[in-house]
Amino acid sequence: MINIKKQKLFVDVDSTIIDTISGFCSHYNKYYSWIPGFTVANPSKVERWDLTCECTLLDSDDANLLFRHRALWDHMKFMPNAYEVLDILQDRYEIILVTIGHNENIAYKSLWLHENLPFVKNSIFISNAGIKMDKSVVDMSGGIFIDDHESNLLSSNADRKILFGKRYTWNENWKGEHANTWDDILNRL
């Protein structure tokens, strides 16, 4: 039997595979609703990466702390069709998840991915404690990289780079390939 080497497909996790914005807003709405001045956070209105525009009782430091909570992961769900498309793509590509976070966030994210994406065996977790926020430490040469964050795509050496999802302030200047949905990803790959 001939073993054919699959092309590597590097995929971001937050706001690419997992609907992190909706999960974060749901967590915030549940745990902060009792505080005076609370207004419901609407994920469709988020414009900032730290979500403080909708989660108005938080500043950037508070948001970073919330990303470290175990209970946050009870609110996480897949982006529409992410699971189904990744399941199809695993036959054609070697899927490698690449994500950034604080150590606690990475630990909980790893558990969530292990439980919810059991067919993906390779993951790279980058701690952002004291480093710049990009994924240039990962050699993606010869591969395809899908991410929702422009700076991650720009700093990558992947042969093909695809911006995923809705346009936000953190990716609005991307001029390269763009896929709005996981169905778009499947059609492109």
Side-chain angles (χ1 to χ4, degrees), residues 46-80:
V46 167
E47 296 177 4
R48 290 177 43 95
W49 67 270
D50 64 6
L51 293 94
T52 57
C53 54
E54 278 299 299
C55 302
T56 56
L57 296 175
L58 304 179
D59 62 22
S60 290
D61 290 336
D62 297 329
N64 277 324
L65 287 174
L66 259 184
F67 275 116
R68 298 175 188 193
H69 283 189
R70 166 61 189 99
L72 173 68
W73 292 91
D74 296 337
H75 299 272
M76 294 301 175
K77 295 182 176 21
F78 284 104
M79 297 294 281

Side-chain angles (χ1 to χ4, degrees), residues 21 46-49 148-151 168-172:
I21 292 172
V46 167
E47 296 177 4
R48 290 177 43 95
W49 67 270
D148 71 301
H149 208 292
E150 178 181 324
S151 69
Y168 292 100
T169 55
W170 60 86
N171 64 25
E172 66 191 1

Side-chain angles (χ1 to χ4, degrees), residues 134-159:
D134 70 34
K135 297 176 181 171
S136 62
V137 298
V138 179
D139 182 8
M140 299 184 196
S141 58
I144 301 167
F145 182 32
I146 302 168
D147 200 305
D148 71 301
H149 208 292
E150 178 181 324
S151 69
N152 292 333
L153 294 167
L154 290 171
S155 64
S156 167
N157 67 344
D159 289 358

Side-chain angles (χ1 to χ4, degrees), residues 169-188:
T169 55
W170 60 86
N171 64 25
E172 66 191 1
N173 295 319
W174 178 253
K175 304 291 187 224
E177 192 172 359
H178 178 212
N180 286 309
T181 66
W182 276 97
D183 291 329
D184 288 349
I185 292 290
L186 183 60
N187 291 332
R188 291 169 185 275

Side-chain angles (χ1 to χ4, degrees), residues 29-36 38:
N29 289 337
K30 180 176 180 177
Y31 290 98
Y32 283 76
S33 62
W34 61 273
I35 298 175
F38 170 82

Side-chain angles (χ1 to χ4, degrees), residues 3 9 37 41 77 82 90 95 104 108 112 121 128 160:
N3 187 8
L9 176 61
K77 295 182 176 21
Q90 72 167 322
I95 298 172
E104 300 92 336
Y108 301 134
W112 193 96
K121 304 298 182 201
N128 66 348
R160 184 175 177 191

